[in-house]
Amino acid sequence: MTLAADKTSAGYDVAALRADFPILRREVNGKPIVYLDSANTSQKPQVVIDALTEHYTHHNANVARAMHLLGAEATEAFEGARQKLATFVGAARPEEIVFTKNASEALNLTAHTLGADLKPGDEIVTTVMEHHSNIVPWQMLAERTGATLRWFDITEDGRLDLAAAERDGLINEKTRIVTLTLVSNVLGTINPVRQIADQAHAVGAKVVVDASQGVPQMPVDMAALGADLVAFTGHKMVGPTGVGVLWGNYDVLAALPPFLGGGEMIEIVRMTGSTYAKPPHRFEAGTPPIAQAIGLGVAVDYLTGVGMEAIAQHEREITAYLLQGLQTIDGLRILGPTEVVDRGGAVSFDLGDIHPHDVSQMLDAKGVAVRGGHHCARPLHERLGIQSSTRASGYLYTTTGEVDALIDALGYTIKFFRGK
Ligand SMILES: Cc1ncc(COP(=O)(O)O)c(C=O)c1O
């Protein structure tokens, strides 16, 4: 199989960029690492690793409370990171960026605050293709309040079944919250968020988007997306673990009650009761992920330097190449769209008689890292009639040579298990 090379048409040199990621120089089981698990977590460029060391070596202090030089430096860097994130996603102001520990916390925050006044008869709408992070918090909310959880089904080709939703009146006058993923972490499907958001707003519902797989892969502009609250996670976008983001339209955030109580989220505390700070601090109780947020700020500088359009273009090319390679394998079923139209970079597949855990283990022996399991999307797998799948996911540093290595290793795996 040939495809033009690892100089993407988007215009950056993948081989040169790979030199920024020290981990890509290591070997696994005696083979050069082929890291195709970026939908799980991405690798980190040296500048991000250095930012963490730099912070702890020279500027470490708590933020917003230490009245000394180090405290001022740490606060400036932390708030600077908030500004960088705001610019990166087109937020109207930095106060729309809330730092959390990951996307899961951002979504739980949303379910607790936005859903605080739900009552029996109210409806929350999600989709069957969600990560558990965008199902379980809403199930818990429904249990607490007596509200009903409903969901979009999918079509055979792994897209949201908009026709069935329309027919069933899924979004209606009882709907209070509509929450969905921008990009599926299993199927790769990019959902028509704007269209669904407009429909939800028309009945007065609020819209929450899980952009954990979207923000790393493509330019995402909050105004264009049309949601009220959007969650994403730092570690999938070349940033550190331990930091996530909740973007919220400022007026929406300002109307929400707090989530966790503690230091820094208050205005005045008396033994008889407390008043709360304005967003974003209302939602950032206790010491925030300072070094991680600063590292995430450097990560978005890095992504911006490469160019999000260029990254999206590379992702499309490498995904097309991967889909093409997988389609040459007998008996392999790709889950989700098989063409790169409204499709992100996660490609999951089923080999029928060969268990994904066996596949992952065999691939690992060849130095190829993929994920085997239900990828925290068990309801989706159940809907697809399988228990688990194997997922390969590239990113801005993935080469066609790595995809070739995966296809070769899959051939070897199939021969091993099927004997032909
Ligand atoms: C679509 C999606 N949503 C949410 C999450 C949760 O992210 P985190 O584990 O960082 O909270 C993930 C991570 O796999 C994801 O892929």
Side-chain angles (χ1 to χ4, degrees):
M1 217 176 348
T2 53
L3 182 102
D6 294 323
K7 177 110 182 155
T8 67
S9 57
Y12 73 86
D13 183 339
V14 181
L17 176 137
R18 286 173 69 83
D20 296 339
F21 292 78
I23 207 167
L24 299 179
R25 295 197 279 278
R26 72 162 282 189
E27 294 196 338
V28 168
N29 295 323
K31 312 269 186 325
I33 188 169
V34 172
Y35 188 76
L36 293 173
D37 198 19
S38 290
N40 203 352
T41 198
S42 68
Q43 296 303 346
K44 323 298 176 200
Q46 189 65 51
V47 283
V48 169
I49 300 167
D50 288 348
L52 299 177
T53 310
E54 164 74 15
H55 171 75
Y56 284 125
T57 309
H58 298 292
H59 311 288
N60 181 51
N62 214 328
V63 291
R65 51 181 96 167
M67 306 293 283
H68 48 66
L69 184 65
L70 294 187
E73 287 174 0
T75 303
E76 195 181 321
F78 179 69
E79 292 302 330
R82 197 188 304 279
Q83 176 63 65
K84 287 179 188 187
L85 266 295
T87 305
F88 189 66
V89 296
R93 48 198 277 200
E95 293 82 2
E96 292 187 338
I97 299 292
V98 177
F99 286 120
T100 61
K101 80 166 189 258
N102 50 32
S104 303
E105 189 184 69
L107 290 164
N108 277 276
L109 186 168
T110 301
H112 270 267
T113 57
L114 194 59
D117 64 349
L118 258 55
K119 52 187 188 323
D122 289 340
E123 294 184 355
I124 309 158
V125 173
T126 186
T127 86
V128 76
M129 69 164 75
E130 300 304 306
H131 187 282
H132 295 165
S133 289
N134 204 29
I135 298 175
V136 182
W138 304 106
Q139 289 175 334
M140 292 161 77
L141 173 65
E143 271 171 35
R144 280 197 303 276
T145 60
T148 303
L149 185 65
R150 302 183 66 192
W151 53 91
F152 281 89
D153 193 13
I154 51 167
T155 57
E156 281 312 302
D157 59 348
R159 309 240 173 230
L160 289 181
D161 194 340
L162 302 177
E166 191 66 43
R167 198 181 54 231
D168 300 344
L170 184 66
I171 297 177
N172 59 56
E173 69 289 348
K174 290 191 221 143
T175 312
R176 298 285 309 280
I177 298 170
V178 175
T179 180
L180 78 163
T181 192
L182 174 55
V183 182
S184 162
N185 66 317
V186 176
L187 306 168
T189 314
I190 299 177
N191 288 322
V193 166
R194 181 76 211 210
Q195 185 186 333
I196 293 170
D198 289 347
Q199 226 185 319
H201 285 145
V203 296
K206 289 279 186 284
V207 177
V208 179
V209 170
D210 175 3
S212 301
Q213 298 288 344
V215 168
Q217 291 184 31
M218 58 200 210
V220 176
D221 176 77
M222 292 302 152
L225 202 60
D228 298 291
L229 296 159
V230 178
F232 54 100
T233 197
H235 66 95
K236 293 186 202 286
M237 47 191 288
V238 312
T241 55
V243 61
V245 172
L246 176 69
W247 168 85
N249 168 287
Y250 191 82
D251 293 338
V252 174
L253 283 180
L256 295 179
F259 172 42
L260 301 174
E264 295 309 321
M265 51 74 70
I266 46 80
E267 197 177 52
I268 296 174
V269 179
R270 297 199 173 88
M271 289 315 292
T272 47
S274 303
T275 55
Y276 306 117
K278 292 189 168 55
H281 299 107
R282 181 184 304 167
F283 306 105
E284 294 179 350
T287 300
I290 302 168
Q292 294 90 331
I294 294 168
L296 182 55
V298 174
V300 303
D301 286 345
Y302 183 84
L303 294 174
T304 305
V306 180
M308 285 311 295
E309 285 291 356
I311 291 169
Q313 174 68 16
H314 178 63
E315 191 88 36
R316 279 192 292 274
E317 287 177 17
I318 212 74
T319 305
Y321 190 69
L322 173 56
L323 287 166
Q324 192 186 323
L326 290 173
Q327 279 165 318
T328 64
I329 297 175
D330 264 357
L332 182 148
R333 170 188 170 204
I334 292 171
L335 310 176
T338 51
E339 309 242 307
V340 192
V341 177
D342 291 333
R343 195 196 199 296
V347 182
S348 303
F349 54 88
D350 176 39
L351 277 169
D353 53 332
I354 314 176
H355 195 281
H357 288 170
D358 291 330
V359 176
S360 318
Q361 221 170 340
M362 293 293 284
L363 296 185
D364 188 47
K366 295 276 181 191
V368 179
V370 296
R371 184 166 173 190
H374 54 49
H375 323 305
C376 299
R378 197 184 172 284
L380 174 61
H381 281 81
E382 198 167 67
R383 169 66 183 82
L384 295 167
I386 50 179
Q387 283 201 332
S388 56
S389 61
T390 307
R391 180 182 72 188
S393 52
Y395 199 18
L396 75 169
Y397 38 64
T398 303
T399 66
T400 51
E402 289 183 301
V403 174
D404 291 341
L406 166 72
I407 303 299
D408 283 353
L410 277 173
Y412 169 83
T413 304
I414 288 166
K415 203 157 177 206
F416 181 89
F417 283 101
R418 294 186 187 148
K420 57 182 169 126

